[in-house]
Amino acid sequence: MTQMTMIAAIQNAHDLAMARDENVVVFGEDVGYFGGVFRCTAGLQQKYGSSRCFDAPISELGIVGAGIGMAAYGLKPVVEVQFADYMYPAYDQIVSEAARLRYRSGGEFTCPIVVRMPTGGGIWGGQTHSQSPEALFTHVAGLKTVIPSNPQDAKGLLLAAIADPDPVIFLEPKRLYNGPFDGHHDRPVRPWKTHPLGEVDPGYYEVPLGKAAVVRAGQELSIVTYGTMVHVAIAAAEETGIDAEVIDLRTLIPLDTETVMASVQKTGRCLVLHEATLTSGFGAELAAQIQAECFYHLEAPVLRVAGWDTPYPHAQEWAYFPGPDRVGRNMLKLMEA
């Protein structure tokens, strides 16, 4: 095992995939010579050449559109959109072309493209560098949506995404790039080298898409979450003393309903947690499915905790961010219901 940050784990996944398959190509804004704004592709151009890892113009539509064309012709493009907030010009290409290609062609063409995007807040990025748009992708038939919470999963999930024959949206919580974050912004930063999930197998392995992880076992309450909020949920459980089970979805679509429902049926209470805005967030879909499948096991209605329905405020970052205090208060409320 090797100590890795999430950045290093993602870079390592690129490296291994490119070494195994010459059809894997990597490109986007600044990903070639510079190695990406977060350095997730550092060294790849030097190792594999500028025909397999290269810079693209500042055009998200063009980056994704070119990648779709490459995928249709048999390549396996892994493209980076510099921030998830910038993906909107490419959204038509993702929805109308990448997600529909297999269906429209009757299976004659597939679109094995991975679109990587740093997502979420907690870095003082303000409204244009902090968005969490995962629900815009989970709503689209034909896309898989992945959000890792640690270096071990990030590497294995990215390798699985690259191997997948269909389009995968790979959202990387940028607050987790260099260390776990439990929402206590006023405490010293913790590096991944102090966390067990910062120990990463340097070889090739895949984490299956569509399989959640129980990262904290419990009997009194289930917290269903993903990304940065996994660490916030664990902190809230420890600070409240509630015996909460924390489910890290890892993949939103396909959704591991078996693991989620088994947990909720055991505990009888469920809190759904995400950083994205509340209204029409992916948590609404989770809550609806849990309510329908676990109705006779529930001791209280499913509760959602999420970002507020407002643009991400720069000056009020921590009032918006669902931290462990807000999560803890809602856990206590749920236990009293």
Side-chain angles (χ1 to χ4, degrees):
M1 303 294 277
T2 303
Q3 291 282 352
M4 293 189 192
T5 64
M6 189 181 286
I7 291 171
I10 290 168
Q11 191 277 346
N12 185 230
H14 281 94
D15 189 7
L16 291 171
M18 295 177 79
R20 285 168 62 97
D21 187 349
E22 64 181 9
N23 288 318
V24 176
V25 294
V26 176
F27 65 99
E29 297 164 15
D30 296 321
V31 307
Y33 179 80
F34 184 66
V37 67
F38 292 104
R39 312 297 289 161
C40 290
T41 55
L44 297 179
Q45 187 177 84
Q46 291 86 337
K47 185 172 182 178
Y48 296 100
S50 58
S51 64
R52 294 190 62 200
C53 180
F54 53 90
D55 297 318
I58 303 175
S59 171
E60 288 75 23
L61 182 152
I63 292 167
V64 174
I68 292 168
M70 291 178 180
Y73 273 89
L75 296 177
K76 292 185 176 180
V78 183
V79 305
E80 178 184 300
V81 173
Q82 203 167 80
F83 287 86
D85 315 62
Y86 300 168
M87 70 84 192
Y88 298 101
Y91 191 65
D92 179 52
Q93 290 290 317
I94 293 170
V95 174
S96 301
E97 306 299 338
R100 307 281 193 256
L101 188 57
R102 179 187 286 274
Y103 182 84
R104 288 172 60 188
S105 67
E108 292 187 20
F109 290 93
T110 59
C111 190
I113 186 174
V114 177
V115 184
R116 293 181 40 249
M117 310 182 206
T119 189
I123 64 162
W124 299 103
Q127 63 180 347
T128 57
H129 296 81
S130 304
Q131 295 175 57
S132 299
E134 62 270 13
L136 297 177
F137 302 112
T138 59
H139 187 66
V140 179
L143 297 178
K144 295 180 174 72
T145 305
V146 179
I147 306 182
S149 68
N150 61 77
Q152 276 188 17
D153 285 350
K155 177 180 174 178
L157 288 167
L158 182 54
L159 286 169
I162 295 170
D164 197 273
D166 292 301
V168 179
I169 304 299
F170 197 88
L171 296 165
E172 302 162 7
K174 50 187 174 288
R175 179 64 208 227
L176 301 182
Y177 270 150
N178 289 303
F181 180 60
D182 62 8
H184 288 294
H185 62 93
D186 53 346
R187 296 180 183 177
V189 175
R190 183 184 178 191
W192 277 116
K193 66 181 181 181
T194 66
H195 195 285
L197 293 177
E199 292 277 347
V200 180
D201 184 343
Y204 185 96
Y205 65 91
E206 296 180 13
V207 173
L209 304 185
K211 183 60 180 175
V214 179
V215 295
R216 186 183 193 274
Q219 298 291 328
E220 294 183 315
L221 184 154
S222 300
I223 304 178
V224 183
T225 188
Y226 49 88
T228 305
M229 292 297 111
V230 170
H231 304 278
V232 173
I234 294 171
E238 292 174 350
E239 291 166 20
T240 58
I242 295 172
D243 187 21
E245 184 153 283
V246 178
I247 308 294
D248 179 358
L249 293 178
R250 304 197 289 196
T251 305
L252 306 190
I253 300 292
L255 176 65
D256 184 359
T257 54
E258 183 178 348
T259 297
V260 172
M261 303 311 168
S263 176
V264 176
Q265 289 171 9
K266 176 180 70 174
T267 66
R269 289 178 168 82
C270 180
L271 186 146
V272 174
L273 171 63
H274 59 66
E275 186 179 343
T277 49
L278 179 71
T279 301
S280 299
F282 188 66
E285 175 64 26
L286 290 170
Q289 289 198 33
I290 292 166
Q291 199 88 354
E293 295 295 325
C294 303
F295 183 80
Y296 292 106
H297 294 84
L298 290 171
E299 301 292 338
V302 177
L303 188 61
R304 288 184 293 154
V305 178
W308 306 119
D309 289 339
T310 176
Y312 213 116
H314 183 272
Q316 302 295 330
E317 174 114 26
W318 306 115
Y320 178 96
F321 188 92
D325 291 341
R326 175 145 54 109
V327 175
R329 289 195 301 272
N330 281 277
M331 290 172 66
L332 293 169
K333 175 182 176 181
L334 194 54
M335 292 303 298
E336 295 167 357

